[in-house]
Amino acid sequence: NELLHIRYIPAARIYQVNKGWRSEDKTGFLIGMTSGFWKKESDLQNSTENNSRIGLYTTNTADALYIEPIPALDLSYNGIVTLQYAMKFAIENHFQVESSEIGACLMGEGESPNIFLYENTEGSIGVLSLIAQKQDVYKKIVELAYSLLAYDDENYKPNASYRDLLNYYNQRDHENIDRWEIQDALKKLIA
């Protein structure tokens, strides 16, 4: 039975777009069109300069994995978020790379987004290609994810901690991350 669709994308062109401050309801960042200085809303009251709102983006070329969880995994939104970080965490541990070297984000809207993992370094480190091309490596990653989440440790009660799924890079998702949400899904992926 199919549980995941995984696509390896060598040399993917990745765009990261920043549409503005989360705390504001306006899109874009204010900039003075003559001076080139960044502005705040309060600066507009005394400004004679023409100001405009712009979006910011960066691009990068990196190897990537696009993972589509299939409904048979029975994952909620929080489960997909958690699976994303469990896979990332297992990849980092298996290949012994820094957490900043593998990027992760959700793609798509609604309650069933897909997972996008990418090599977040200059040039390719080659680890994601191994997962897509060698089934035994993929299986080891899933088994390691299950092992690292310490389901067998009766003393480990929290949904997640900084010893496994939580880190500086995923702070905005901390309230969604729950290792219990993916226990059954990981068992299905291991079988």
Side-chain angles (χ1 to χ4, degrees), residues 17-87:
V17 180
N18 190 338
K19 296 180 181 178
W21 297 106
R22 288 178 186 248
S23 59
E24 293 184 10
D25 59 352
K26 296 181 180 167
T27 302
F29 298 92
L30 277 172
I31 189 167
M33 297 307 289
T34 305
S35 68
F37 292 128
W38 297 108
K39 305 282 183 151
K40 295 181 272 187
E41 290 292 329
S42 59
D43 295 338
L44 295 179
Q45 296 169 0
N46 300 325
S47 178
T48 58
E49 181 178 25
N50 185 19
N51 299 291
S52 184
R53 290 191 169 276
I54 62 168
L56 303 174
Y57 74 93
T58 62
T59 63
N60 186 21
T61 302
D63 292 347
L65 285 180
Y66 187 72
I67 303 170
E68 297 175 77
I70 301 301
L73 278 181
D74 195 31
L75 290 172
S76 66
Y77 176 82
N78 287 351
I80 294 171
V81 170
T82 306
L83 180 62
Q84 165 188 243
Y85 293 117
M87 294 293 286

Side-chain angles (χ1 to χ4, degrees), residues 134-148:
K134 297 186 177 189
Q135 189 171 3
D136 63 318
V137 174
Y138 161 77
K139 187 169 177 69
K140 285 178 186 175
I141 296 297
V142 175
E143 289 170 347
L144 182 58
Y146 189 88
S147 173
L148 290 170

Side-chain angles (χ1 to χ4, degrees), residues 6 65 87 90-95 126-145 189-190:
I6 300 177
L65 285 180
M87 294 293 286
I91 290 166
E92 293 162 357
N93 278 271
H94 180 75
F95 293 106
V127 300
L128 297 182
S129 65
L130 293 174
I131 296 167
Q133 296 167 357
K134 297 186 177 189
Q135 189 171 3
D136 63 318
V137 174
Y138 161 77
K139 187 169 177 69
K140 285 178 186 175
I141 296 297
V142 175
E143 289 170 347
L144 182 58
L189 293 171
I190 289 170

